[in-house]
Amino acid sequence: MYPHLFGRHTVDAYVSSIDQTVAGLADRVRAVRQPYSGASVAQLQEMVDRVDLDTPLGSTDAALDEIGTLYLDHAVWFHEPTYLAHLNCPVAIPALSAELLLAAVNSSVDTWDQSTSGTLIERRMIDWTAQRIGFGPAADGVFTSGGTQSNLHGLLLAREDRLARLADSGHTPGDRGTVTGVSREAVLPRLRILATQESHFSVAKSARLLGLAADAVVGVATDDIGRMDPAALRAAIDLLRAQALIPMAVVATAGTTDRGCVDPLAAISVVCREQSVWLHVDAAYGCGLLVSARHRHLLDGIEHADSVTVDYHKSFFQPVSCSAIVVREAATMRRVAVHADYLNPRTATVPNQVDKSLQTTRRFDALKLWMTVRSIGAQQLGEMFDQVVELAQVAYGQLLDQEDFEVAMRPVLSTVLFRYRPDWLPVADCDRLLPRLRARLFGDGAAIIAGTTIDGHYWLKFTLLNPNTTAEDLRTVIDLIRRAGAELLDAEWDPALIAAPQAVTTEVGANANV
């Protein structure tokens, strides 16, 4: 018998190992006071390279000690209140309990005979999410690894839907042969996806993976805070058809990565219905609004989408990975089903999730969400998301009060775009300063923030997904940014040698009704 394999004969050893692991993790979390150690890539690379993987340490205890030094001492801690960088959240404790269960049992929710009730739990969580979206009883979906996979899946379904509808009308091939002499391969280069420049980069990646043309993603104009313009969308669709191109899908975003804005879903859905174009809503970030008591109206119109991306590991406070693609009509998912006699034969009388998933072997990630909803409920999840949305307004107000900071726009969700810029510093020099300022903060480790480029200029960014972050924490980070910026300027910039500052709009869309 092999003593390191989990089972009834080794369960005591398992309990001992888990107890030791949890105790060690707890000790470190109690001691953490900032989101990162500040170690450099070179320092960590040297530590990892020194490990001889061909010489075992001989015990789990020793391996835990080693990984404590290699990983835990230098992990980025998303639960720390001064971590304000990316769409990473502190995780719900019930979900961590679920992780323990699903890892040990190791169910694979691709087929019924590997998961049984796990399949039913996942399906129930999809139904629950579909109801929150506003879909009817015909809805369906499946859990995925994240928003990128969900967006790919949604656009794959859009492609197949468009090809099927064209085949039915006699303009393109079905599953066999050709119709009116036009091959499937000839149609693919004509398919177009309409999205804004604010859309997630996975839209362009998906177009490549789906075999579409290099210019398949067509940009749609936005308003002054980055939301898709429905009138511009209608015009873009008309122009594509005039060019004998085929609108395959529109991607609207509920929570853009850079600005955190929400496209006008209701108006966009009207255009898509009138034009018979698939509407995919990327709500990877804004899905927290599904359980919001105070901001749910921002998603009005999402119920008219054909497919929706939901990232529970962003706005439902779940551990990575926990995401889903949800569709309004279950029949659309069956268009991409592939059957294997050994796994999911066509004659199966039990539910097999692999029929609709891009993955085969797949973790039972739905258990984490189930445990969270059953433990603390949707209302508290919504309250936590509402808290970070409102915290962004606090940060916005604090930054407006600073003479040496600029803000890009009033926040819509929990993203705040701003920059440190003393009044004597030209915009071009500010653009060079801010990436270095951000890197300096990361190297110190006391706070982590993000950065991005908007309209050709560099901006710093708070992405607030920790409802335990306070206004005082925000003030602390603002002070750290100012101190780091001032030190860099003192060391490398001489105001006397710099030309008069350029005129710049310090706030974009600040007075917009959002």
Side-chain angles (χ1 to χ4, degrees):
M1 182 178 298
Y2 292 95
H4 294 293
L5 296 180
F6 176 72
R8 68 177 180 272
H9 298 295
T10 57
V11 72
D12 289 340
Y14 166 78
V15 170
S16 176
S17 180
I18 292 298
D19 285 347
Q20 183 178 357
T21 302
V22 171
L25 175 62
D27 287 343
R28 277 181 163 79
V29 171
R30 289 189 186 101
V32 168
R33 293 295 181 272
Q34 60 184 48
Y36 184 53
S37 68
S40 68
V41 175
Q43 290 170 324
L44 297 180
Q45 187 70 63
E46 182 182 2
M47 291 169 60
V48 172
D49 288 346
R50 281 202 303 264
V51 175
D52 180 3
L53 293 175
D54 292 319
T55 304
L57 294 171
S59 72
T60 303
D61 293 353
L64 283 171
D65 287 342
E66 179 182 74
I67 208 64
T69 301
L70 287 178
Y71 174 52
L72 295 181
D73 285 351
H74 305 289
V76 176
W77 298 101
F78 301 149
H79 70 271
E80 278 297 293
T82 56
Y83 177 86
L84 309 174
H86 303 291
L87 288 167
N88 309 116
C89 58
V91 293
I93 292 174
L96 295 179
S97 297
E99 282 278 14
L100 198 65
L101 296 176
L102 69 91
V105 179
N106 204 30
S107 299
S108 180
V109 284
D110 50 326
T111 60
W112 172 263
D113 63 359
Q114 299 177 74
S115 59
T116 61
S117 59
T119 285
L120 303 181
I121 288 171
E122 176 173 312
R123 287 183 168 221
R124 183 71 185 279
M125 291 314 308
I126 289 292
D127 290 344
W128 178 82
T129 304
Q131 290 168 7
R132 290 274 171 176
I133 290 170
F135 288 163
D140 200 0
V142 71
F143 273 63
T144 69
S145 64
T148 293
Q149 183 183 334
S150 295
N151 287 341
L152 171 62
H153 201 153
L155 291 173
L156 170 63
L157 298 177
R159 186 191 72 180
E160 294 306 300
D161 179 75
R162 173 55 70 185
L163 291 174
R165 287 191 289 124
L166 289 173
D168 290 343
S169 65
H171 294 297
T172 198
D175 292 334
R176 301 176 183 175
T178 62
V179 174
T180 63
V182 180
S183 70
R184 178 185 180 98
E185 290 71 23
V187 172
L188 288 180
R190 295 169 55 202
L191 297 179
R192 294 294 182 268
I193 300 168
L194 295 105
T196 73
Q197 64 179 0
E198 302 290 330
S199 300
H200 195 259
F201 73 90
S202 61
V203 174
K205 181 184 288 188
S206 295
R208 283 192 185 184
L209 292 172
L210 294 174
L212 307 186
D215 58 350
V217 180
V218 176
V220 179
T222 62
D223 63 14
D224 60 350
I225 63 168
R227 298 176 298 194
M228 182 181 288
D229 181 346
L233 172 63
R234 189 187 301 276
I237 292 172
D238 289 342
L239 180 59
L240 289 177
R241 290 199 165 122
Q243 297 170 337
L245 298 172
I246 304 169
M248 181 190 99
V250 170
V251 178
T253 308
T256 57
T257 305
D258 277 347
R259 299 177 189 251
C261 61
V262 179
D263 288 334
L265 303 179
I268 291 168
S269 71
V270 169
V271 175
C272 290
R273 286 198 306 276
E274 291 176 352
Q275 299 284 347
S276 296
V277 179
W278 183 284
L279 173 58
H280 176 73
V281 174
D282 178 1
Y285 175 13
C287 63
L289 296 169
L290 293 173
V291 288
S292 167
R294 298 191 287 276
H295 305 286
R296 174 62 175 80
H297 64 278
L298 292 171
L299 290 182
D300 286 353
I302 195 172
E303 67 275 10
H304 300 302
D306 294 286
S307 56
V308 177
T309 287
V310 176
D311 262 11
Y312 308 106
H313 60 224
K314 288 185 174 69
S315 302
F316 279 70
F317 307 97
Q318 297 298 291
V320 175
S321 60
C322 196
S323 181
I325 174 73
V326 186
V327 299
R328 185 158 47 87
E329 296 292 337
T332 59
M333 297 203 81
R334 292 196 286 271
R335 290 202 176 103
V336 297
V338 176
H339 296 275
D341 289 340
Y342 77 94
L343 191 68
N344 62 326
R346 292 180 184 274
T347 56
T349 58
V350 293
N352 292 316
Q353 294 292 82
V354 73
D355 292 354
K356 51 193 174 183
S357 175
L358 298 184
Q359 299 168 262
T360 303
T361 302
R362 192 162 53 85
R363 300 178 84 241
F364 181 25
D365 288 320
L367 182 62
K368 296 179 286 194
L369 183 61
W370 178 280
M371 287 279 287
T372 303
V373 169
R374 296 301 295 147
S375 298
I376 68 175
Q379 180 177 343
Q380 187 168 337
L381 286 171
E383 289 173 0
M384 292 191 294
F385 192 72
D386 284 345
Q387 174 62 22
V388 297
V389 171
E390 286 146 26
L391 186 63
Q393 299 299 325
V394 174
Y396 172 75
Q398 290 180 352
L399 289 162
L400 279 181
D401 289 340
Q402 313 298 317
E403 293 183 355
D404 48 356
F405 282 81
E406 300 171 346
V407 289
M409 57 179 278
R410 178 182 290 277
V412 178
L413 294 181
S414 63
T415 298
V416 187
L417 285 169
F418 65 96
R419 55 187 176 185
Y420 167 73
R421 180 173 171 250
D423 59 7
W424 56 266
L425 186 66
V427 173
D429 288 299
C430 184
D431 289 339
R432 289 191 291 270
L433 168 70
L434 295 184
R436 300 180 66 183
L437 189 160
R438 179 177 170 237
R440 188 184 184 99
L441 283 180
F442 188 83
D444 176 67
I448 301 179
I449 63 174
T452 191
T453 300
I454 300 291
D455 297 332
H457 296 291
Y458 196 89
W459 294 82
L460 301 174
K461 181 170 71 166
F462 289 161
T463 308
L464 301 164
L465 275 183
N466 187 346
N468 289 325
T469 294
T470 67
E472 184 58 35
D473 294 320
L474 295 173
R475 281 190 287 270
T476 296
V477 176
I478 291 170
D479 288 343
L480 288 171
I481 293 168
R482 175 183 287 111
R483 186 182 311 146
E487 288 172 355
L488 285 169
L489 289 174
D490 287 345
E492 302 180 32
W493 271 268
D494 183 352
L497 300 178
I498 295 178
Q502 305 164 11
V504 62
T505 301
T506 60
E507 190 174 356
V508 179
N511 297 318
N513 183 19
V514 295

